């Protein structure tokens, strides 16, 4: 559920911001209300309920006491005959920082990879990034085009600029960041209109390889949206780093070292039966 995933990030912020996400929580309550009314209860719905309970607790157990949210939440529970005491308590995921390096099996690595939004201040070694990029070069791409182009940033002034155009790592005090990757692809590598989406597919696969390569090397990462850049911010980004119009922007990847104690959202995953259609 898109709303609960964003509320979950908010719950796991180092500094919970009262008042943030209220509009989203209202939308989530409406969606949950519909789901319960239509008896469409699944894993994600039940987990969203757990997230909502925690979010409402955090928003209402402080001096600002958000009574509007509390009333909305209580009404929703009442309407759907839900007893709050039977909803599980939310527990963040704790990532073991020292167990992620050079794991022998892919399934173990895959279990441990999570988007991490709070890194330590330790510098990322660029040699490691180049090594991870080399590993990622093994990614399949249409007709082996390898259309991706990657920008690497590790200068403080560039990271500070990034924080002004993207909300992902905007909390300068609590979210140290010293290495950022921008994935793009060259449109000229593809035929238009037939291959217009291929660059995104190939670069998406490449990005995933890179994230796993970095995870295998013991780095924490967070993939970050390009779509929430305003036109003005995209213009400023392109201008500052001379990114030509031939290059389509795909995503950012923030890279850093784990903290000793890493708290992340649970980010519950769907069950296979929820997305597989066997014919
Ligand atoms: C293309 C892409 C863009 C994303 N953008 C953001 C973002 O802007 N901010 C953020 O905090 N997380 C972002 N994420 C991370 C997702 O929120 C995260 O992958 C999802 O919640 C699942 O959690 P997990 O990665 O820990 O399994 C993005 C992920 C992808 C693949």
């Amino acid at each position: 559920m898109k709303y609960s995933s964003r509320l979950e990030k908010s719950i796991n912020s180092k500094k919970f911001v009262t008042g943030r996400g209220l509009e989203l929580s209202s939308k989530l309550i409406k969606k949950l209300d519909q789901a319960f009314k239509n008896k469409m209860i699944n894993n994600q719905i039940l987990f969203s309920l757990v997230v909502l309970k925690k979010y409402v607790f955090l928003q209402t157990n402080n001096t600002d006491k958000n009574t509007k949210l509390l009333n909305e939440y209580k009404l929703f529970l009442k309407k759907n005959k839900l007893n709050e005491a039977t909803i599980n308590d939310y527990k963040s995921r704790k990532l073991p920082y020292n167990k992620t390096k050079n794991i022998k099996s892919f399934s173990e690595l895959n279990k441990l990879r999570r988007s991490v939004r709070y890194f330590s201040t330790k510098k990322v070694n660029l040699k490691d990034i180049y090594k991870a990029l080399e590993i990622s070069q093994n990614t399949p791409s249409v007709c082996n085009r390898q259309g991706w182009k990657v920008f690497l940033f590790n200068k403080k002034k560039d990271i500070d600029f990034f924080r002004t155009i993207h909300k992902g790592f905007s909390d300068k005090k609590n979210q140290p960041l010293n290495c950022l990757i921008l994935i793009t692809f060259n449109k000229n590598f593809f035929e238009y209109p037939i291959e217009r989406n291929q660059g995104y597919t190939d670069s998406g696969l490449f990005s995933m390889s890179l994230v796993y390569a970095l995870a295998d090397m013991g780095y924490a990462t967070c993939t970050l949206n390009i779509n929430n850049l305003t036109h003005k911010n995209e213009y400023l980004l392109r201008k500052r780093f001379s990114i030509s119009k031939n290059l389509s922007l795909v995503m950012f990847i923030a890279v850093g070292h784990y903290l000793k104690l890493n708290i992340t959202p649970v980010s519950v995953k769907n069950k296979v039966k929820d997305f597989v259609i066997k014919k």
Side-chain angles (χ1 to χ4, degrees), residues 11-28:
I11 289 171
N12 287 286
S13 309
K14 266 219 178 130
K15 198 171 170 301
F16 183 78
V17 183
T18 345
R20 188 185 285 171
L22 289 174
E23 213 174 295
L24 273 182
S25 60
S26 276
K27 287 182 183 166
L28 177 62

Side-chain angles (χ1 to χ4, degrees), residues 123-130 178 219 257:
K123 282 258 171 229
V124 168
N125 187 342
L126 274 198
K127 275 193 194 148
D128 288 344
I129 303 292
Y130 281 107
N178 62 61
Y219 278 104
H257 289 278

Side-chain angles (χ1 to χ4, degrees), residues 186-202:
N186 191 336
K187 286 189 238 181
N188 298 342
F189 281 47
F190 303 97
E191 297 297 329
Y192 284 78
I194 194 115
E195 288 185 334
R196 65 192 175 283
N197 297 321
Q198 197 60 48
Y200 291 103
T201 308
D202 289 1

Side-chain angles (χ1 to χ4, degrees), residues 64-183:
D64 305 352
K65 272 210 183 317
N66 198 312
T67 42
K68 184 174 171 279
L69 170 65
L70 194 59
N71 291 340
E72 251 178 272
Y73 173 63
K74 287 205 164 142
L75 181 67
F76 154 73
L77 292 180
K78 197 170 158 199
K79 265 183 16 198
N80 293 290
K81 296 190 181 64
L82 291 165
N83 175 0
E84 195 183 29
T86 62
I87 303 172
N88 287 343
D89 287 332
Y90 178 83
K91 282 197 193 81
S92 302
R93 188 188 292 272
K94 291 195 176 78
L95 277 186
Y97 79 102
N98 54 354
K99 288 206 185 131
T100 50
K101 213 169 170 177
N102 299 325
I103 292 167
K104 292 281 177 287
S105 100
F106 177 74
S107 56
E108 278 305 303
L109 177 71
N110 180 49
K111 259 189 226 151
L112 286 169
R113 187 223 50 89
R114 289 286 144 180
S115 295
V116 176
R117 297 173 181 86
Y118 298 94
F119 303 141
S120 84
T121 50
K122 191 176 163 188
K123 282 258 171 229
V124 168
N125 187 342
L126 274 198
K127 275 193 194 148
D128 288 344
I129 303 292
Y130 281 107
K131 191 171 158 198
L133 287 165
E134 205 175 315
I135 294 168
S136 315
Q137 269 298 94
N138 204 23
T139 302
S141 62
V142 68
C143 298
N144 202 21
R145 297 262 183 97
Q146 306 169 64
W148 42 79
K149 290 279 170 279
V150 175
F151 291 79
L152 270 182
F153 308 106
N154 73 343
K155 292 192 188 83
K156 186 179 172 301
K157 60 181 192 323
D158 293 337
I159 303 278
D160 283 347
F161 164 77
F162 166 72
R163 290 183 198 273
T164 66
I165 61 161
H166 198 288
K167 291 187 200 132
F169 272 71
S170 57
D171 183 354
K172 207 170 168 179
K173 188 163 161 262
N174 290 304
Q175 292 183 294
L177 180 66
N178 62 61
C179 182
L180 181 73
I181 298 172
L182 169 63
I183 309 286

